[in-house]
Amino acid sequence: MGGGGMSSEEKRAWIYAVVGVGVAAVYFVTVLSQVPGADVARIAYVQPMLVAIGAAIGLGIVVAIVAAIASPKDAGRADERDRQIHRMGEYVGFYVMSIAALVPLALAMAEAAHFWIANALYLAFVLATVASSVVKIVLYRRGF
């Protein structure tokens, strides 16, 4: 694979990293800013969380489509290197999710408020997505 710009797979990794961090940041700032002095059982987090998850998925798809339209020559063309990088990123994301999921599991065992369990699980998903994307970006940048 020659020089030039980013492959479509690397662009997709950047898109998921930026969208994942951006949407989660908006969600957590919005919802966690209500925590001080509040009864967390009264904080309406379900709808904002569902909106954040939907927005992350929707934005990721839309931005990936726009990126593919903007550079159609390499859209959808993945070589063996792309597949190996994707596999490694997903592998790391799986382990991050597996480890991060221990927090909501412990919170559930401690009978913590649903608010904390749900938010810890959402954060685990975000961390896994971002870790997977960062690993892919680093492998593209440093070579694989």
Side-chain angles (χ1 to χ4, degrees), residues 40-97:
V40 294
R42 298 194 183 284
I43 296 175
Y45 70 91
V46 175
Q47 186 176 5
M49 186 182 290
L50 292 174
V51 168
I53 293 167
I57 293 168
L59 279 171
I61 292 169
V62 168
V63 175
I65 289 170
V66 169
I69 291 169
S71 56
K73 66 182 184 310
D74 64 3
R77 277 193 359 219
D79 59 16
E80 184 57 31
R81 176 175 172 257
D82 290 319
R83 284 187 283 280
Q84 287 178 327
I85 289 173
H86 178 76
R87 204 172 302 123
M88 183 64 75
E90 295 301 306
Y91 180 78
V92 169
F94 169 79
Y95 280 103
V96 168
M97 181 65 199

Side-chain angles (χ1 to χ4, degrees), residues 13 16-17 19-21 89-90 93 96-97 123-136:
Y16 289 134
V19 167
V21 168
E90 295 301 306
V96 168
M97 181 65 199
L123 181 59
F125 281 117
V126 170
L127 291 175
T129 298
V130 171
S132 176
S133 295
V134 167
V135 165
K136 292 173 188 178

